[in-house]
Amino acid sequence: MPEGDTVFRTAHALDAALAGSVLLGAEIRHPRLATVDLTGRTVLSAGSVGKHLFIHFSGGGASGSDDVGDISLHSHLRMDGSWRIGAPGARWRAPGHQVRVVLSTTRAVALGVLVHDLAVVRTAREGELVRHLGPDLLGAGWDEDSVAEAVLRLTAEPAREIGAALLDQTVLAGVGNVYRSEVCFLLGVTPWTPVSAVDAEQAVRLCRKLLLRNATRTVRITTGDSAPGRQLWVYRRGGRPCLRCGSPVRSAEQGREIPPRFAWFCPRCQSGPQP
Ligand SMILES: [Zn+2]
């Protein structure tokens, strides 16, 4: 599942490829948005808020008659979505039926593949789509107030399992399944440990540090070691020896989501409840 750092990087790539260019073609393959015509608008920028991605367009379409000011295209990658960028006229690197958005300029073509929660809104009102989120770990405005706010949200339910609380985007925006397991390992607690038994501020700062470090590189590393198989402490390392103590890493389902989501942990390095 794409984490906040992946979405952040995707937004930057879209921004680099599209910003400043006029849309020669724009297709949104969604019944509710099929009649939206973005052709003729200029792509202003692309950015992310947590795992939500926005592409901004200038006001005024080709006709100019329905001008409502700058508008934003919202998308979410969820479990399987991605944005792919190619040269104009290049062969699509995705099956046609999975392509939900096509944005064409003279410089590049961006394909929204299996992107979810598509919405077109006035840019002035896009904040409403992300108002429920906790502080954005990769937000440009991240500061000590963000840390305090995140700690407040994280500790609001002291009995909640830390692994579940970290995944909750209304607590902190940007953490996914990889960081859930990795942050718990670095905190030395299992994902089933109640929030009340965890240093919440340390948890928040760790999430920010790891996402920020990985925001600008394509290989996600939490161990400081870039060698293959040694980049992550426990995530998807079930049955393999812990990189710190050598004990077999374990995994177990956490939460009741469908499909089930697993958390990985080292039973020796991490204290606290285990399923
Ligand atoms: Zn260990």
PDB file of all heavy atoms in Angstrom, residues 89-125:
ATOM      1  N   GLY A  89       2.507  10.345 -26.872  1.00  0.00           N
ATOM      2  CA  GLY A  89       2.531   9.349 -27.941  1.00  0.00           C
ATOM      3  C   GLY A  89       3.170   8.029 -27.552  1.00  0.00           C
ATOM      4  O   GLY A  89       3.115   7.065 -28.310  1.00  0.00           O
ATOM      5  N   ALA A  90       3.776   7.965 -26.361  1.00  0.00           N
ATOM      6  CA  ALA A  90       4.425   6.718 -25.930  1.00  0.00           C
ATOM      7  C   ALA A  90       3.351   5.673 -25.613  1.00  0.00           C
ATOM      8  O   ALA A  90       2.217   6.008 -25.288  1.00  0.00           O
ATOM      9  CB  ALA A  90       5.299   6.967 -24.704  1.00  0.00           C
ATOM     10  N   ARG A  91       3.738   4.413 -25.701  1.00  0.00           N
ATOM     11  CA  ARG A  91       2.817   3.317 -25.386  1.00  0.00           C
ATOM     12  C   ARG A  91       2.461   3.351 -23.904  1.00  0.00           C
ATOM     13  O   ARG A  91       3.321   3.529 -23.059  1.00  0.00           O
ATOM     14  CB  ARG A  91       3.544   1.997 -25.685  1.00  0.00           C
ATOM     15  CG  ARG A  91       2.795   1.056 -26.564  1.00  0.00           C
ATOM     16  CD  ARG A  91       3.658  -0.182 -26.764  1.00  0.00           C
ATOM     17  NE  ARG A  91       2.987  -1.354 -26.198  1.00  0.00           N
ATOM     18  CZ  ARG A  91       2.081  -2.051 -26.876  1.00  0.00           C
ATOM     19  NH1 ARG A  91       1.769  -1.729 -28.109  1.00  0.00           N
ATOM     20  NH2 ARG A  91       1.493  -3.100 -26.314  1.00  0.00           N
ATOM     21  N   TRP A  92       1.177   3.149 -23.613  1.00  0.00           N
ATOM     22  CA  TRP A  92       0.755   3.132 -22.208  1.00  0.00           C
ATOM     23  C   TRP A  92       1.342   1.936 -21.494  1.00  0.00           C
ATOM     24  O   TRP A  92       1.305   0.820 -22.014  1.00  0.00           O
ATOM     25  CB  TRP A  92      -0.769   3.064 -22.121  1.00  0.00           C
ATOM     26  CG  TRP A  92      -1.441   4.349 -22.455  1.00  0.00           C
ATOM     27  CD1 TRP A  92      -0.839   5.482 -22.933  1.00  0.00           C
ATOM     28  CD2 TRP A  92      -2.829   4.633 -22.361  1.00  0.00           C
ATOM     29  NE1 TRP A  92      -1.778   6.456 -23.126  1.00  0.00           N
ATOM     30  CE2 TRP A  92      -3.013   5.965 -22.785  1.00  0.00           C
ATOM     31  CE3 TRP A  92      -3.929   3.905 -21.953  1.00  0.00           C
ATOM     32  CZ2 TRP A  92      -4.259   6.572 -22.816  1.00  0.00           C
ATOM     33  CZ3 TRP A  92      -5.175   4.504 -21.980  1.00  0.00           C
ATOM     34  CH2 TRP A  92      -5.342   5.830 -22.406  1.00  0.00           C
ATOM     35  N   ARG A  93       1.847   2.180 -20.297  1.00  0.00           N
ATOM     36  CA  ARG A  93       2.400   1.078 -19.504  1.00  0.00           C
ATOM     37  C   ARG A  93       1.360   0.558 -18.515  1.00  0.00           C
ATOM     38  O   ARG A  93       1.668   0.215 -17.403  1.00  0.00           O
ATOM     39  CB  ARG A  93       3.658   1.551 -18.773  1.00  0.00           C
ATOM     40  CG  ARG A  93       4.831   1.806 -19.713  1.00  0.00           C
ATOM     41  CD  ARG A  93       6.009   2.357 -18.958  1.00  0.00           C
ATOM     42  NE  ARG A  93       5.723   3.652 -18.353  1.00  0.00           N
ATOM     43  CZ  ARG A  93       6.297   4.102 -17.240  1.00  0.00           C
ATOM     44  NH1 ARG A  93       7.160   3.366 -16.609  1.00  0.00           N
ATOM     45  NH2 ARG A  93       5.982   5.286 -16.782  1.00  0.00           N
ATOM     46  N   ALA A  94       0.101   0.533 -18.959  1.00  0.00           N
ATOM     47  CA  ALA A  94      -0.971   0.031 -18.093  1.00  0.00           C
ATOM     48  C   ALA A  94      -2.114  -0.454 -18.979  1.00  0.00           C
ATOM     49  O   ALA A  94      -2.338   0.112 -20.045  1.00  0.00           O
ATOM     50  CB  ALA A  94      -1.462   1.153 -17.188  1.00  0.00           C
ATOM     51  N   PRO A  95      -2.819  -1.516 -18.549  1.00  0.00           N
ATOM     52  CA  PRO A  95      -3.979  -1.967 -19.321  1.00  0.00           C
ATOM     53  C   PRO A  95      -5.015  -0.847 -19.407  1.00  0.00           C
ATOM     54  O   PRO A  95      -5.281  -0.179 -18.398  1.00  0.00           O
ATOM     55  CB  PRO A  95      -4.517  -3.147 -18.500  1.00  0.00           C
ATOM     56  CG  PRO A  95      -3.410  -3.538 -17.575  1.00  0.00           C
ATOM     57  CD  PRO A  95      -2.597  -2.314 -17.337  1.00  0.00           C
ATOM     58  N   GLY A  96      -5.573  -0.655 -20.599  1.00  0.00           N
ATOM     59  CA  GLY A  96      -6.506   0.450 -20.820  1.00  0.00           C
ATOM     60  C   GLY A  96      -7.659   0.512 -19.832  1.00  0.00           C
ATOM     61  O   GLY A  96      -8.040   1.598 -19.389  1.00  0.00           O
ATOM     62  N   HIS A  97      -8.173  -0.658 -19.446  1.00  0.00           N
ATOM     63  CA  HIS A  97      -9.347  -0.638 -18.562  1.00  0.00           C
ATOM     64  C   HIS A  97      -9.005  -0.197 -17.147  1.00  0.00           C
ATOM     65  O   HIS A  97      -9.885   0.096 -16.348  1.00  0.00           O
ATOM     66  CB  HIS A  97     -10.018  -2.017 -18.548  1.00  0.00           C
ATOM     67  CG  HIS A  97      -9.210  -3.078 -17.886  1.00  0.00           C
ATOM     68  ND1 HIS A  97      -8.219  -3.767 -18.531  1.00  0.00           N
ATOM     69  CD2 HIS A  97      -9.219  -3.560 -16.618  1.00  0.00           C
ATOM     70  CE1 HIS A  97      -7.675  -4.636 -17.702  1.00  0.00           C
ATOM     71  NE2 HIS A  97      -8.251  -4.524 -16.528  1.00  0.00           N
ATOM     72  N   GLN A  98      -7.703  -0.163 -16.819  1.00  0.00           N
ATOM     73  CA  GLN A  98      -7.309   0.297 -15.477  1.00  0.00           C
ATOM     74  C   GLN A  98      -7.029   1.808 -15.437  1.00  0.00           C
ATOM     75  O   GLN A  98      -6.842   2.375 -14.377  1.00  0.00           O
ATOM     76  CB  GLN A  98      -6.052  -0.449 -15.017  1.00  0.00           C
ATOM     77  CG  GLN A  98      -6.295  -1.936 -14.784  1.00  0.00           C
ATOM     78  CD  GLN A  98      -5.067  -2.640 -14.239  1.00  0.00           C
ATOM     79  OE1 GLN A  98      -3.995  -2.039 -14.120  1.00  0.00           O
ATOM     80  NE2 GLN A  98      -5.210  -3.899 -13.909  1.00  0.00           N
ATOM     81  N   VAL A  99      -6.979   2.412 -16.625  1.00  0.00           N
ATOM     82  CA  VAL A  99      -6.650   3.840 -16.685  1.00  0.00           C
ATOM     83  C   VAL A  99      -7.912   4.655 -16.404  1.00  0.00           C
ATOM     84  O   VAL A  99      -8.905   4.538 -17.101  1.00  0.00           O
ATOM     85  CB  VAL A  99      -6.068   4.203 -18.064  1.00  0.00           C
ATOM     86  CG1 VAL A  99      -5.849   5.706 -18.170  1.00  0.00           C
ATOM     87  CG2 VAL A  99      -4.763   3.450 -18.297  1.00  0.00           C
ATOM     88  N   ARG A 100      -7.870   5.444 -15.364  1.00  0.00           N
ATOM     89  CA  ARG A 100      -9.057   6.213 -14.978  1.00  0.00           C
ATOM     90  C   ARG A 100      -8.920   7.697 -15.291  1.00  0.00           C
ATOM     91  O   ARG A 100      -9.908   8.413 -15.321  1.00  0.00           O
ATOM     92  CB  ARG A 100      -9.346   6.007 -13.484  1.00  0.00           C
ATOM     93  CG  ARG A 100      -9.700   4.540 -13.235  1.00  0.00           C
ATOM     94  CD  ARG A 100     -10.121   4.222 -11.842  1.00  0.00           C
ATOM     95  NE  ARG A 100     -10.417   2.784 -11.765  1.00  0.00           N
ATOM     96  CZ  ARG A 100     -10.394   2.086 -10.650  1.00  0.00           C
ATOM     97  NH1 ARG A 100     -10.126   2.676  -9.512  1.00  0.00           N
ATOM     98  NH2 ARG A 100     -10.661   0.797 -10.663  1.00  0.00           N
ATOM     99  N   VAL A 101      -7.685   8.169 -15.484  1.00  0.00           N
ATOM    100  CA  VAL A 101      -7.482   9.570 -15.861  1.00  0.00           C
ATOM    101  C   VAL A 101      -6.361   9.644 -16.882  1.00  0.00           C
ATOM    102  O   VAL A 101      -5.355   8.945 -16.750  1.00  0.00           O
ATOM    103  CB  VAL A 101      -7.087  10.448 -14.640  1.00  0.00           C
ATOM    104  CG1 VAL A 101      -6.967  11.915 -15.055  1.00  0.00           C
ATOM    105  CG2 VAL A 101      -8.080  10.315 -13.500  1.00  0.00           C
ATOM    106  N   VAL A 102      -6.554  10.470 -17.914  1.00  0.00           N
ATOM    107  CA  VAL A 102      -5.491  10.742 -18.882  1.00  0.00           C
ATOM    108  C   VAL A 102      -5.356  12.255 -18.997  1.00  0.00           C
ATOM    109  O   VAL A 102      -6.313  12.941 -19.352  1.00  0.00           O
ATOM    110  CB  VAL A 102      -5.817  10.165 -20.283  1.00  0.00           C
ATOM    111  CG1 VAL A 102      -4.637  10.383 -21.227  1.00  0.00           C
ATOM    112  CG2 VAL A 102      -6.171   8.691 -20.208  1.00  0.00           C
ATOM    113  N   LEU A 103      -4.193  12.775 -18.659  1.00  0.00           N
ATOM    114  CA  LEU A 103      -3.928  14.214 -18.788  1.00  0.00           C
ATOM    115  C   LEU A 103      -2.794  14.371 -19.797  1.00  0.00           C
ATOM    116  O   LEU A 103      -1.690  13.868 -19.573  1.00  0.00           O
ATOM    117  CB  LEU A 103      -3.515  14.811 -17.435  1.00  0.00           C
ATOM    118  CG  LEU A 103      -4.519  14.680 -16.281  1.00  0.00           C
ATOM    119  CD1 LEU A 103      -3.920  15.235 -14.991  1.00  0.00           C
ATOM    120  CD2 LEU A 103      -5.831  15.392 -16.612  1.00  0.00           C
ATOM    121  N   SER A 104      -3.062  15.060 -20.897  1.00  0.00           N
ATOM    122  CA  SER A 104      -2.062  15.188 -21.961  1.00  0.00           C
ATOM    123  C   SER A 104      -1.621  16.629 -22.145  1.00  0.00           C
ATOM    124  O   SER A 104      -2.455  17.533 -22.208  1.00  0.00           O
ATOM    125  CB  SER A 104      -2.629  14.698 -23.294  1.00  0.00           C
ATOM    126  OG  SER A 104      -3.232  13.444 -23.145  1.00  0.00           O
ATOM    127  N   THR A 105      -0.317  16.815 -22.224  1.00  0.00           N
ATOM    128  CA  THR A 105       0.254  18.121 -22.556  1.00  0.00           C
ATOM    129  C   THR A 105       1.281  17.895 -23.668  1.00  0.00           C
ATOM    130  O   THR A 105       1.522  16.762 -24.066  1.00  0.00           O
ATOM    131  CB  THR A 105       0.962  18.766 -21.347  1.00  0.00           C
ATOM    132  OG1 THR A 105       2.167  18.029 -21.074  1.00  0.00           O
ATOM    133  CG2 THR A 105       0.083  18.763 -20.109  1.00  0.00           C
ATOM    134  N   THR A 106       1.885  18.961 -24.161  1.00  0.00           N
ATOM    135  CA  THR A 106       2.899  18.779 -25.211  1.00  0.00           C
ATOM    136  C   THR A 106       4.147  18.109 -24.644  1.00  0.00           C
ATOM    137  O   THR A 106       4.913  17.493 -25.367  1.00  0.00           O
ATOM    138  CB  THR A 106       3.331  20.144 -25.801  1.00  0.00           C
ATOM    139  OG1 THR A 106       3.681  21.015 -24.719  1.00  0.00           O
ATOM    140  CG2 THR A 106       2.212  20.759 -26.620  1.00  0.00           C
ATOM    141  N   ARG A 107       4.370  18.211 -23.338  1.00  0.00           N
ATOM    142  CA  ARG A 107       5.586  17.654 -22.717  1.00  0.00           C
ATOM    143  C   ARG A 107       5.412  16.234 -22.208  1.00  0.00           C
ATOM    144  O   ARG A 107       6.351  15.443 -22.202  1.00  0.00           O
ATOM    145  CB  ARG A 107       6.006  18.534 -21.531  1.00  0.00           C
ATOM    146  CG  ARG A 107       6.618  19.867 -21.918  1.00  0.00           C
ATOM    147  CD  ARG A 107       7.352  20.447 -20.716  1.00  0.00           C
ATOM    148  NE  ARG A 107       6.445  20.822 -19.635  1.00  0.00           N
ATOM    149  CZ  ARG A 107       6.711  20.679 -18.350  1.00  0.00           C
ATOM    150  NH1 ARG A 107       7.858  20.138 -17.966  1.00  0.00           N
ATOM    151  NH2 ARG A 107       5.859  21.058 -17.426  1.00  0.00           N
ATOM    152  N   ALA A 108       4.238  15.921 -21.697  1.00  0.00           N
ATOM    153  CA  ALA A 108       4.065  14.634 -21.023  1.00  0.00           C
ATOM    154  C   ALA A 108       2.603  14.211 -20.998  1.00  0.00           C
ATOM    155  O   ALA A 108       1.696  15.032 -21.178  1.00  0.00           O
ATOM    156  CB  ALA A 108       4.586  14.728 -19.592  1.00  0.00           C
ATOM    157  N   VAL A 109       2.421  12.917 -20.765  1.00  0.00           N
ATOM    158  CA  VAL A 109       1.082  12.371 -20.544  1.00  0.00           C
ATOM    159  C   VAL A 109       1.092  11.700 -19.175  1.00  0.00           C
ATOM    160  O   VAL A 109       2.006  10.924 -18.866  1.00  0.00           O
ATOM    161  CB  VAL A 109       0.704  11.339 -21.634  1.00  0.00           C
ATOM    162  CG1 VAL A 109      -0.641  10.700 -21.311  1.00  0.00           C
ATOM    163  CG2 VAL A 109       0.659  12.001 -22.999  1.00  0.00           C
ATOM    164  N   ALA A 110       0.119  12.030 -18.345  1.00  0.00           N
ATOM    165  CA  ALA A 110       0.015  11.405 -17.022  1.00  0.00           C
ATOM    166  C   ALA A 110      -1.212  10.509 -16.993  1.00  0.00           C
ATOM    167  O   ALA A 110      -2.309  10.925 -17.372  1.00  0.00           O
ATOM    168  CB  ALA A 110      -0.084  12.476 -15.940  1.00  0.00           C
ATOM    169  N   LEU A 111      -0.991   9.278 -16.556  1.00  0.00           N
ATOM    170  CA  LEU A 111      -2.085   8.310 -16.461  1.00  0.00           C
ATOM    171  C   LEU A 111      -2.391   8.035 -14.999  1.00  0.00           C
ATOM    172  O   LEU A 111      -1.497   7.669 -14.236  1.00  0.00           O
ATOM    173  CB  LEU A 111      -1.690   6.983 -17.118  1.00  0.00           C
ATOM    174  CG  LEU A 111      -1.306   6.973 -18.595  1.00  0.00           C
ATOM    175  CD1 LEU A 111      -0.972   5.547 -19.016  1.00  0.00           C
ATOM    176  CD2 LEU A 111      -2.439   7.526 -19.452  1.00  0.00           C
ATOM    177  N   GLY A 112      -3.627   8.192 -14.631  1.00  0.00           N
ATOM    178  CA  GLY A 112      -4.065   7.798 -13.295  1.00  0.00           C
ATOM    179  C   GLY A 112      -4.567   6.367 -13.383  1.00  0.00           C
ATOM    180  O   GLY A 112      -5.637   6.118 -13.933  1.00  0.00           O
ATOM    181  N   VAL A 113      -3.771   5.420 -12.888  1.00  0.00           N
ATOM    182  CA  VAL A 113      -4.099   4.004 -13.006  1.00  0.00           C
ATOM    183  C   VAL A 113      -4.714   3.512 -11.692  1.00  0.00           C
ATOM    184  O   VAL A 113      -4.082   3.619 -10.633  1.00  0.00           O
ATOM    185  CB  VAL A 113      -2.830   3.184 -13.346  1.00  0.00           C
ATOM    186  CG1 VAL A 113      -3.176   1.703 -13.501  1.00  0.00           C
ATOM    187  CG2 VAL A 113      -2.184   3.716 -14.624  1.00  0.00           C
ATOM    188  N   LEU A 114      -5.933   3.015 -11.777  1.00  0.00           N
ATOM    189  CA  LEU A 114      -6.657   2.517 -10.598  1.00  0.00           C
ATOM    190  C   LEU A 114      -6.682   3.541  -9.458  1.00  0.00           C
ATOM    191  O   LEU A 114      -6.654   3.172  -8.282  1.00  0.00           O
ATOM    192  CB  LEU A 114      -6.038   1.197 -10.101  1.00  0.00           C
ATOM    193  CG  LEU A 114      -6.143   0.018 -11.071  1.00  0.00           C
ATOM    194  CD1 LEU A 114      -5.388  -1.206 -10.537  1.00  0.00           C
ATOM    195  CD2 LEU A 114      -7.606  -0.357 -11.317  1.00  0.00           C
ATOM    196  N   VAL A 115      -6.682   4.810  -9.822  1.00  0.00           N
ATOM    197  CA  VAL A 115      -6.761   5.839  -8.779  1.00  0.00           C
ATOM    198  C   VAL A 115      -8.205   5.903  -8.261  1.00  0.00           C
ATOM    199  O   VAL A 115      -9.148   5.641  -8.996  1.00  0.00           O
ATOM    200  CB  VAL A 115      -6.282   7.220  -9.283  1.00  0.00           C
ATOM    201  CG1 VAL A 115      -4.775   7.223  -9.451  1.00  0.00           C
ATOM    202  CG2 VAL A 115      -6.958   7.608 -10.590  1.00  0.00           C
ATOM    203  N   HIS A 116      -8.334   6.225  -7.002  1.00  0.00           N
ATOM    204  CA  HIS A 116      -9.634   6.166  -6.344  1.00  0.00           C
ATOM    205  C   HIS A 116     -10.102   7.547  -5.883  1.00  0.00           C
ATOM    206  O   HIS A 116      -9.328   8.494  -5.860  1.00  0.00           O
ATOM    207  CB  HIS A 116      -9.547   5.248  -5.112  1.00  0.00           C
ATOM    208  CG  HIS A 116      -9.124   3.856  -5.458  1.00  0.00           C
ATOM    209  ND1 HIS A 116     -10.011   2.842  -5.681  1.00  0.00           N
ATOM    210  CD2 HIS A 116      -7.887   3.321  -5.643  1.00  0.00           C
ATOM    211  CE1 HIS A 116      -9.353   1.729  -5.979  1.00  0.00           C
ATOM    212  NE2 HIS A 116      -8.057   1.991  -5.960  1.00  0.00           N
ATOM    213  N   ASP A 117     -11.351   7.588  -5.452  1.00  0.00           N
ATOM    214  CA  ASP A 117     -11.944   8.788  -4.847  1.00  0.00           C
ATOM    215  C   ASP A 117     -11.741  10.029  -5.714  1.00  0.00           C
ATOM    216  O   ASP A 117     -11.432  11.121  -5.214  1.00  0.00           O
ATOM    217  CB  ASP A 117     -11.353   9.034  -3.448  1.00  0.00           C
ATOM    218  CG  ASP A 117     -11.507   7.823  -2.550  1.00  0.00           C
ATOM    219  OD1 ASP A 117     -12.472   7.065  -2.766  1.00  0.00           O
ATOM    220  OD2 ASP A 117     -10.673   7.626  -1.654  1.00  0.00           O
ATOM    221  N   LEU A 118     -11.914   9.856  -7.017  1.00  0.00           N
ATOM    222  CA  LEU A 118     -11.740  10.994  -7.921  1.00  0.00           C
ATOM    223  C   LEU A 118     -12.803  12.046  -7.650  1.00  0.00           C
ATOM    224  O   LEU A 118     -13.979  11.727  -7.461  1.00  0.00           O
ATOM    225  CB  LEU A 118     -11.840  10.518  -9.376  1.00  0.00           C
ATOM    226  CG  LEU A 118     -10.633   9.719  -9.881  1.00  0.00           C
ATOM    227  CD1 LEU A 118     -10.941   9.069 -11.214  1.00  0.00           C
ATOM    228  CD2 LEU A 118      -9.406  10.626  -9.988  1.00  0.00           C
ATOM    229  N   ALA A 119     -12.362  13.292  -7.609  1.00  0.00           N
ATOM    230  CA  ALA A 119     -13.293  14.394  -7.413  1.00  0.00           C
ATOM    231  C   ALA A 119     -12.699  15.637  -8.050  1.00  0.00           C
ATOM    232  O   ALA A 119     -11.484  15.820  -8.047  1.00  0.00           O
ATOM    233  CB  ALA A 119     -13.533  14.631  -5.924  1.00  0.00           C
ATOM    234  N   VAL A 120     -13.565  16.451  -8.612  1.00  0.00           N
ATOM    235  CA  VAL A 120     -13.136  17.747  -9.156  1.00  0.00           C
ATOM    236  C   VAL A 120     -13.824  18.819  -8.328  1.00  0.00           C
ATOM    237  O   VAL A 120     -15.052  18.838  -8.222  1.00  0.00           O
ATOM    238  CB  VAL A 120     -13.522  17.879 -10.653  1.00  0.00           C
ATOM    239  CG1 VAL A 120     -13.201  19.277 -11.158  1.00  0.00           C
ATOM    240  CG2 VAL A 120     -12.780  16.831 -11.485  1.00  0.00           C
ATOM    241  N   VAL A 121     -13.025  19.669  -7.691  1.00  0.00           N
ATOM    242  CA  VAL A 121     -13.583  20.696  -6.803  1.00  0.00           C
ATOM    243  C   VAL A 121     -12.895  22.027  -7.061  1.00  0.00           C
ATOM    244  O   VAL A 121     -11.813  22.071  -7.649  1.00  0.00           O
ATOM    245  CB  VAL A 121     -13.383  20.334  -5.308  1.00  0.00           C
ATOM    246  CG1 VAL A 121     -14.142  19.059  -4.957  1.00  0.00           C
ATOM    247  CG2 VAL A 121     -11.901  20.168  -4.976  1.00  0.00           C
ATOM    248  N   ARG A 122     -13.510  23.098  -6.628  1.00  0.00           N
ATOM    249  CA  ARG A 122     -12.821  24.389  -6.679  1.00  0.00           C
ATOM    250  C   ARG A 122     -11.621  24.304  -5.759  1.00  0.00           C
ATOM    251  O   ARG A 122     -11.731  23.805  -4.632  1.00  0.00           O
ATOM    252  CB  ARG A 122     -13.733  25.508  -6.177  1.00  0.00           C
ATOM    253  CG  ARG A 122     -14.936  25.718  -7.040  1.00  0.00           C
ATOM    254  CD  ARG A 122     -15.705  26.916  -6.539  1.00  0.00           C
ATOM    255  NE  ARG A 122     -17.020  26.952  -7.160  1.00  0.00           N
ATOM    256  CZ  ARG A 122     -17.820  28.002  -7.137  1.00  0.00           C
ATOM    257  NH1 ARG A 122     -17.420  29.104  -6.514  1.00  0.00           N
ATOM    258  NH2 ARG A 122     -18.981  27.972  -7.708  1.00  0.00           N
ATOM    259  N   THR A 123     -10.493  24.824  -6.209  1.00  0.00           N
ATOM    260  CA  THR A 123      -9.276  24.766  -5.400  1.00  0.00           C
ATOM    261  C   THR A 123      -9.506  25.429  -4.043  1.00  0.00           C
ATOM    262  O   THR A 123      -9.029  24.954  -3.013  1.00  0.00           O
ATOM    263  CB  THR A 123      -8.109  25.431  -6.152  1.00  0.00           C
ATOM    264  OG1 THR A 123      -7.914  24.711  -7.373  1.00  0.00           O
ATOM    265  CG2 THR A 123      -6.835  25.396  -5.338  1.00  0.00           C
ATOM    266  N   ALA A 124     -10.275  26.499  -4.052  1.00  0.00           N
ATOM    267  CA  ALA A 124     -10.539  27.224  -2.805  1.00  0.00           C
ATOM    268  C   ALA A 124     -11.239  26.341  -1.772  1.00  0.00           C
ATOM    269  O   ALA A 124     -11.198  26.630  -0.579  1.00  0.00           O
ATOM    270  CB  ALA A 124     -11.383  28.461  -3.103  1.00  0.00           C
ATOM    271  N   ARG A 125     -11.873  25.262  -2.244  1.00  0.00           N
ATOM    272  CA  ARG A 125     -12.624  24.409  -1.320  1.00  0.00           C
ATOM    273  C   ARG A 125     -12.022  23.021  -1.166  1.00  0.00           C
ATOM    274  O   ARG A 125     -12.631  22.140  -0.550  1.00  0.00           O
ATOM    275  CB  ARG A 125     -14.079  24.300  -1.788  1.00  0.00           C
ATOM    276  CG  ARG A 125     -14.774  25.653  -1.876  1.00  0.00           C
ATOM    277  CD  ARG A 125     -16.236  25.513  -2.135  1.00  0.00           C
ATOM    278  NE  ARG A 125     -16.909  24.920  -0.984  1.00  0.00           N
ATOM    279  CZ  ARG A 125     -18.244  24.781  -0.905  1.00  0.00           C
ATOM    280  NH1 ARG A 125     -18.998  25.179  -1.886  1.00  0.00           N
ATOM    281  NH2 ARG A 125     -18.793  24.232   0.166  1.00  0.00           N
TER     282      ARG A 125
END
